[in-house]
Amino acid sequence: EFQIRGRLAIGSELDLDIVRRMIALQFKLMNDDPERLSRAPTSVQPDGRREYHVRRDSEDRRQNAAMFPLTGNIEVIEESWRYYEATKDAAWLRSNIQNLEDAAAWVLSNTDQYGRVWSDVYYEDQVIKDGRVTQAQAFAAHALALLAKMETLLGRRYETARMSRASSKMANALIAPLPMGYWDQKNQRFIDWVDRNGLAHDHIHLLANEVPVLFSYATPDQAAAVRRLIDNNSEEFERFPSFV
């Protein structure tokens, strides 16, 4: 993901060709899923073994979570949109729209009736997050909105509407207050994740608060509260990379 973002920023013909090949490799791995679920594997080992369900324990062995089961499927959708933006290659998009819909299907199969994505561990850290993660919720909503744009470009009205509805439902769940959503009304910030026992976990996670604002999902009051949160903790946040 990070290499693709960097190469798209450079934008030379060589870099765009490498990005196209990298996305093709991701689609190949998804299509080779033995369960036919179009899952991006968590890892591919040197001997060729593909791992789809890697679980990790916390140090005290009291918590357990799956490692990145949805990350690749969510990210490849945005990567594909950025590639299309750079190239305007409609033929490439049309030839891969089924791969993108299959990527979304795996994400949606891990989304409940309220639009909440149960992603477990999702992004840049490996904290044991055994449930629904704020970052994943925001990135999933954003990815499906981008997929709806791609469906629109191809004139696929039914799929456009379906992806738009799913994205909106995820976005509405994201900004809803706890316990149903991810917003801590009392402390005026987004929590990090809610575990599978319904317990909210919050250690003032920077990305969990930034991303809903950057994607324009946060309400004006939420965005203002996040701005204050970042200003009040800026010295601490500057000690760590934010990727933003």
Side-chain angles (χ1 to χ4, degrees):
E1 179 210 353
F2 294 132
Q3 187 173 157
I4 283 177
R5 289 178 185 274
R7 290 188 177 278
L8 286 172
I10 295 170
S12 72
E13 289 190 19
L14 173 61
D15 287 295
L16 292 176
D17 183 63
I18 292 173
V19 168
R20 179 178 57 79
R21 292 166 184 254
M22 292 173 74
I23 294 174
L25 178 58
Q26 289 175 269
F27 287 150
K28 181 182 187 304
L29 290 170
M30 290 163 52
N31 289 328
D32 287 345
D33 179 358
E35 294 293 328
R36 296 291 185 265
L37 296 173
S38 294
R39 299 169 296 174
T42 297
S43 68
V44 180
Q45 295 299 325
D47 64 3
R49 285 183 299 113
R50 296 170 186 179
E51 297 180 314
Y52 294 95
H53 196 67
V54 178
R55 300 197 69 87
R56 298 276 175 83
D57 287 325
S58 59
E59 190 173 8
D60 62 8
R61 301 294 178 89
R62 297 174 67 179
Q63 306 296 332
N64 181 273
M67 304 300 291
F68 314 113
L70 302 184
T71 305
N73 285 65
I74 293 172
E75 294 297 333
V76 76
I77 296 172
E78 181 174 353
E79 293 164 6
S80 297
W81 170 253
R82 300 304 172 201
Y83 176 76
Y84 172 79
E85 275 193 317
T87 65
K88 299 297 188 291
D89 188 344
W92 177 88
L93 180 59
R94 188 172 298 278
S95 68
N96 284 290
I97 195 64
Q98 187 61 57
N99 288 324
L100 292 167
E101 290 174 359
D102 290 344
W106 175 237
V107 177
L108 290 170
S109 72
N110 287 274
T111 303
D112 66 22
Q113 68 267 37
Y114 306 109
R116 303 178 303 183
V117 180
W118 293 81
S119 70
D120 273 28
V121 179
Y122 177 70
Y123 202 52
E124 89 292 349
D125 54 31
Q126 296 191 31
V127 175
I128 300 299
K129 301 179 184 180
D130 58 327
R132 51 186 180 94
V133 181
T134 304
Q135 288 178 80
Q137 185 77 19
F139 278 112
H142 183 59
L144 292 191
L146 296 178
L147 181 51
K149 287 186 178 182
M150 290 184 271
E151 300 283 9
T152 298
L153 288 168
L154 299 177
R156 297 163 65 90
R157 289 184 293 178
Y158 173 79
E159 290 301 329
T160 296
R162 191 166 75 92
M163 296 303 167
S164 294
R165 284 195 302 270
S167 174
S168 295
K169 196 171 186 178
M170 289 176 180
N172 290 335
L174 171 66
I175 63 174
L178 292 168
M180 292 300 292
Y182 300 77
W183 178 253
D184 184 339
Q185 189 68 30
K186 179 181 178 181
N187 292 306
Q188 289 290 288
R189 60 181 179 250
F190 289 99
I191 52 88
D192 190 357
W193 87 98
V194 177
D195 67 29
R196 293 182 183 273
N197 293 317
L199 180 64
H201 297 261
D202 177 36
H203 47 93
I204 311 183
H205 196 286
L206 178 58
L207 279 171
N209 281 278
E210 286 179 320
V211 173
V213 178
L214 290 170
F215 288 160
S216 299
Y217 294 138
T219 67
D221 286 344
Q222 288 173 338
V226 169
R227 178 76 267 175
R228 291 193 296 271
L229 176 76
I230 293 174
D231 288 342
N232 292 339
N233 295 275
S234 60
E235 184 175 346
E236 189 69 18
F237 288 149
E238 287 293 344
R239 298 175 58 209
F240 301 97
S242 70
F243 303 118
V244 178

